[in-house]
Structure formats: C-alpha cells, structure tokens
Amino acid sequence: MKVYNGSAWVAAYISSAGMLAAANNLSDVSSASASRTNLGLDTMATQAANSVAITGGSISGITDLAVADGGTGASTASAARTNLGLAIGTDVQAYDAGLNDIAGLAVTDGNFVVGDGTNWVAESGATARTSLGLGTMATAAAADYLALAGGTMTGDLVLAGDPDAALKAATKQYVDNNGGISAGKSIALAIVFGG
C-alpha cells in the first residue's frame, strides 16, 4: 500500500501491535476490567445468567412476574396481597393499635387484660379486683359467709345498734328494755270472738 506524503508516494504499512484480532474474540484484551469500565459496564456484566444479583435501581416496562417465578403476579400492592393470600381483612388482620398494645404485654400467670381508657394493660388479680370495686369477700372461701338462702349460723350475731325501722333486727337487750316478755311482767291478752 502507498500513501502520498505531500510530495511523493511512499510505501506504507500498518503495525498490528496493540490491535485486537477478530479471531481471538476479545481474549487478547490486556485488561478485561479496564475494557468493561471503558464500555460503561458495571458488575452485572460479569454475573452468571442463572445467578444475577440486583441491588438498587428499578425495572420498568415489564409484565408482572408470576408468583410461581418468585413475583407477586401483580402491579399493585392490593393485588399482590390478594394473589399471595394476604388480603387485609380477609386473610390477615389489619394493623390495630389496640392489638399492638396486647401483643406487647408480658405473659404473666394470673394477669388480666383490661382497658385503662386509652390502652390495653395487664393487671394482677388484686389490681383487677380493686378496679372492679370488689371487697375482701371476693377472695374469701364460700364457707366463711352465710348463703342468702338457707345455711346455718354458729356463734353470736352482733348487731351494730338498736333498730330504727320496723323490719330491722333487734337485740335481746332492746326487746327486754322496750316491752319484751320477761319474768315479773304481766301480759294482757285480748281475745276477740267473731260473730
């Protein structure tokens, strides 16, 4: 081959030093890493086709990836939950602050879950009884108290004072001092015969 140098035609040749041969399929590149950088390729260019790791970025313009292929088969959050069997209110309970309170309570034997007007809290049996306004009878044995119907009392019955209404109980002392029957008192009886 000849080239004109401005005044005459001279023989010219091209040196193959530094050139890539097509037959070598880029295996003669001196630095594959530098070549990828020069081409603007990142680490994904060296991952195996069957083991690709994608971190960051986004993918758009593709069809929904089926559940069987590791996707949700949907393009909206609501449809994804339905496809995965996680529809809120049907398959799973929606978030609820009250349920979150209960979930955070310590599981302690004998505690009660009660509302305090704002949150759910755990109370011991004693605290729950106080909250309900229950007295000591709430924890007493049944044998310690007389049933409202039937039952037998043993021991003395001490009344708080003299009766101040017609159907209140009276002590023996009250009856004796206020016209009760006792030795040395006379009793007047009136017998009425009907005609």
Side-chain angles (χ1 to χ4, degrees):
M1 168 161 79
K2 291 197 177 217
V3 293
Y4 186 71
N5 68 3
S7 58
W9 287 97
V10 294
Y13 67 93
I14 299 174
S15 170
S16 63
M19 296 181 93
L20 301 177
N24 292 337
N25 199 21
L26 299 177
S27 64
D28 48 356
V29 171
S30 62
S31 171
S33 174
S35 296
R36 285 191 303 274
T37 299
N38 291 339
L39 291 170
L41 303 176
D42 208 335
T43 56
M44 191 169 184
T46 60
Q47 294 183 32
N50 63 352
S51 180
V52 176
I54 301 173
T55 56
S58 63
I59 299 173
S60 60
I62 62 170
T63 58
D64 299 333
L65 188 59
V67 174
D69 293 330
T72 63
S75 54
T76 66
S78 176
R81 286 190 297 269
T82 299
N83 291 347
L84 295 172
L86 300 172
I88 295 173
T90 302
D91 303 305
V92 294
Q93 172 70 44
Y95 174 81
D96 180 80
L99 290 176
N100 193 49
D101 286 346
I102 293 171
L105 296 177
V107 180
T108 305
D109 188 25
N111 272 5
F112 292 85
V113 177
V114 297
D116 68 359
T118 305
N119 299 23
W120 292 102
V121 296
E123 288 186 352
S124 67
T127 304
R129 285 189 298 277
T130 300
S131 296
L132 293 170
L134 301 178
T136 56
M137 188 174 179
T139 58
D144 293 344
Y145 293 91
L146 186 62
L148 293 178
T152 302
M153 287 181 59
T154 58
D156 295 332
L157 174 63
V158 179
L159 300 177
D162 291 340
D164 57 6
L167 294 179
K168 285 192 173 179
T171 64
K172 178 181 181 306
Q173 177 183 344
Y174 177 82
V175 172
D176 289 347
N177 292 339
N178 290 287
I181 301 173
S182 63
K185 289 199 173 186
S186 43
I187 301 172
L189 292 176
I191 301 175
V192 178
F193 294 96

